[in-house]
């Protein structure tokens, strides 16, 4: 066996899957999906075929041509990779699998009506990045295996669905949908379930090959607003949420056009946005055609477009060109961070882009400190064998990756680097690559670059290279200077912050010394009401400062925040601040109580991340 990915059972000697056809029946009462998956391979194969699964009940595996059973086995559970599904083939080019998901699926969050915006209908959504598609369907769950897919989603009639795919139909279910698939007992009564009263079928097609982690759906009482020729904003059918989202993202088409000028044609036809309930564990997820967003990005001043710019940039770097596995995650996120800042620079101005770089620079330094006892994860090219990628997720691939590309730009000049980027995207689109492939392409197209930049130090070295660059602008320098003056007891005057928005306050708070006197925290909040900010970036940065300074006056606000949102960008620093360090028994008890009460409102990925923080520090 020759694995191609430290997080997958996929074997390099086996043909890769090229297409998956899914028939999915959603049972909200049991939080399960009953399903059939038809996998088509790149070539006929004899011998074993290795597939990834997690928390799936596999009932039957068939030859789709004859509907005769194929031998299979399921390994004991690996805590990171899940279970190895082995199917035995004899010159087969496809395989049909009947299975059910589990309520504990790591990709799925099933929300009861009280957990939604509308409070009336249930909701379910996926988060498959980075190794969770295997908990929705059996697959070669590695970015090296790019797939096209078709899907029929059988859902309650009063709900609707979106996917990372083109919507092709909404219709009543018919027995023909499953008759050709079903023979005998498949572990559940597929025919009866499929054609039950009160059901509807939504059909989708993804005709471009994508890595499995970009497979996505959301199902609920959905509606939308048009915000551009290529963009609708979806959410639950709550007018207040939809209208606020439409205002926040009204400039999306301008960003798409700027992205095309910088990086070439937009290949995905639609760029729709789906605002999910507050439990969504990330800021955004770049699913092609249907980006998922946290509602915390709706700030009321269009600044949430910064995150949309990042997810848009993934349309070229990440979705078109993908890291071969998570050891090379920087190829997705470093390139995308560079690309989104170029878009922001054009659309919102250079000062705004420099602010983004400054916040990222501060975040990178904090991550280097976080990993000081395991510097492997401060490298761009990492070794994640036996490591859960969710446990070591950080800003390093984003910000150090950005710094590496920015260093190349400074060396060869922006015009030359722009031409290099366009050629890079055109050469590798719809392919999965690794760091060595990128470096070979770089050296071939920028002769002598290895003499000017230590490429090995940047990609394989730990920490921040000496030729990384802290941004410079008048606004950035002023804010950092004001933060430094806080050490001397001086707060910024109201006239100095009159034009500040969330991003300026975020940069200011990130650069304050930690800890400070509790009296200083109280005085700062009394003047500027940061603990009450509607911008969660500002609120969480302030609460993190309060925790580090043992200012318990704000613990009720910390509790309220941890129970209101499930975005890991906020959960990680707040829980970590509460439990790390010595002499924090009271805080640890507080953190465990809050988590116990909030846990069911978090996505399974977020639950696991908080539990890993507790395991390390409790």
């Amino acid at each position: 066996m020759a694995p191609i990915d430290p997080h997958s059972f996929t074997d390099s000697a086996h043909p890769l899957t090229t297409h998956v056809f899914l028939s999915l029946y959603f049972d909200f009462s049991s939080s399960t999906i009953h399903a059939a998956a038809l996998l088509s391979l790149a070539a006929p194969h004899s011998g074993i075929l290795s597939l990834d699964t997690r928390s799936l009940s596999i009932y039957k595996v068939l030859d789709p041509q004859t509907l005769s059973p194929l031998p299979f086995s399921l390994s004991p559970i690996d805590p990171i990779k899940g279970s190895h599904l082995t199917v035995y083939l004899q010159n087969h080019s496809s395989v049909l699998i009947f299975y059910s998901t589990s309520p504990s699926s790591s990709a799925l969050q099933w929300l009861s009506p009280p957990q939604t915006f509308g409070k009336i209908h249930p909701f379910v959504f996926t988060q498959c990045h980075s190794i969770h598609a295997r908990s929705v369907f059996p697959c070669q769950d590695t970015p090296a295996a790019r797939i096209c897919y078709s899907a029929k989603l059988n859902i309650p009639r009063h709900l609707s669905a979106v996917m990372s795919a083109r919507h092709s139909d909404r219709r009543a279910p018919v027995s023909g949908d499953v008759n050709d698939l079903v023979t005998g007992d498949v572990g559940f009564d597929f025919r009866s379930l499929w054609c039950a009263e009160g059901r509807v079928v939504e059909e989708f097609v993804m005709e471009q090959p994508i890595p499995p982690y970009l497979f996505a759906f959301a199902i609920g009482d959905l509606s939308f607003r048009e915000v551009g020729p290529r963009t609708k904003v979806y959410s639950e059918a709550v007018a207040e949420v939809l209208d606020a989202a439409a205002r926040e993202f009204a400039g999306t088409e301008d960003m798409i056009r700027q992205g095309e000028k910088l990086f070439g044609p937009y290949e995905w036809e639609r760029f729709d946005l789906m605002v999910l309930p507050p439990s969504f564990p990330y800021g955004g997820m770049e699913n092609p055609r249907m980006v998922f967003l946290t509602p915390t990005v709706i700030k009321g001043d269009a600044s949430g477009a910064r995150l949309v710019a990042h997810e848009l940039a993934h349309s070229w770097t990440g979705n078109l060109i993908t890291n071969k596995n998570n050891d090379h995650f920087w190829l997705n996120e470093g390139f995308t961070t560079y690309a989104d800042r170029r878009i922001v620079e054009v659309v919102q101005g250079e000062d705004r882009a420099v602010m983004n770089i400054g916040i990222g620079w501060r975040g990178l330094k904090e991550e280097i400190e976080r990993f000081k006892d395991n510097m492997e994860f401060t490298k761009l090219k990492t070794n994640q064998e036996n490591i859960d990628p969710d446990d070591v997720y950080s800003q390093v691939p984003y910000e150090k990756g950005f710094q590496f590309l920015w260093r190349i730009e400074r060396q060869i000049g922006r015009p030359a680097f722009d031409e290099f980027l366009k050629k890079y995207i055109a050469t590798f689109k719809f392919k999965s690559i690794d760091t060595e492939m990128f470096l070979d392409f770089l050296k071939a197209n920028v002769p002598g670059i290895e003499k000017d930049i230590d490429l090995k130090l940047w990609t394989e070295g730990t920490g921040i290279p000496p030729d990384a660059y802290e941004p410079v602008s008048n606004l950035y320098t002023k804010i950092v200077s004001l933060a430094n003056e806080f050490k001397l007891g001086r707060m910024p005057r109201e006239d100095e912050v009159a034009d500040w928005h969330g991003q300026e306050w975020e940069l200011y708070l990130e650069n304050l010394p930690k800890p400070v006197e509790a009296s200083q925290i109280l005085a700062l909040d009394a003047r500027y009401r940061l603990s009450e900010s509607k911008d969660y970036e500002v609120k969480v940065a302030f609460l993190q400062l309060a925790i580090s300074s043992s200012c318990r006056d704000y613990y009720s606000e910390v509790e309220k925040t941890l129970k209101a949102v499930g975005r890991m960008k906020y959960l990680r620093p707040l829980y970590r601040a509460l439990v790390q360090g010595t002499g924090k028994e009271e805080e640890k008890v507080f953190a465990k109580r809050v988590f116990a009460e909030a846990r069911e409102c978090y996505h399974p990925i977020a639950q696991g991340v908080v539990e890993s923080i507790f395991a390390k520090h409790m």
Side-chain angles (χ1 to χ4, degrees), residues 21-25 34-38 96-99 181 188 190:
F21 176 72
L22 293 166
S23 300
L24 307 175
Y25 177 93
H34 303 299
L38 175 61
L96 176 61
I97 303 170
F98 290 93
Y99 69 97
L181 301 176
F188 48 88
F190 214 169

Side-chain angles (χ1 to χ4, degrees), residues 343-365:
I343 294 171
V344 167
E345 181 181 312
V346 174
V347 176
Q348 298 186 346
E350 187 174 349
D351 263 354
R352 191 62 50 187
V354 171
M355 289 282 292
N356 284 350
I357 297 170
I359 292 170
W361 175 260
R362 180 69 187 177
L364 176 59
K365 293 174 73 173

Side-chain angles (χ1 to χ4, degrees), residues 162-167 224-234 249 252 256 266 268-275 285-293 308 311-312 315:
V162 296
M163 291 197 80
S164 57
R166 176 173 57 83
H167 185 257
F224 65 86
R225 297 283 188 269
E226 296 266 5
V227 297
R230 288 180 275 190
T231 304
K232 295 176 181 175
V233 176
Y234 290 81
F249 309 129
T252 300
I256 299 173
Y266 181 78
W268 306 95
E269 185 184 9
R270 299 287 305 173
F271 184 71
D272 292 326
L273 308 172
M274 174 74 211
V275 178
M285 183 62 211
E286 64 269 18
N287 311 309
R289 301 182 66 104
M290 186 60 66
V291 166
F292 285 179
L293 295 171
V308 172
E311 306 312 329
L312 169 64
S315 302

Side-chain angles (χ1 to χ4, degrees), residues 7 80 130-131 326 384 387-394 572:
H7 302 121
I80 296 172
S130 56
I131 56 169
N326 226 61
Q384 295 190 21
I387 299 293
D388 188 329
D390 291 333
D391 289 344
V392 294
Y393 178 88
S394 79
R572 275 193 182 96

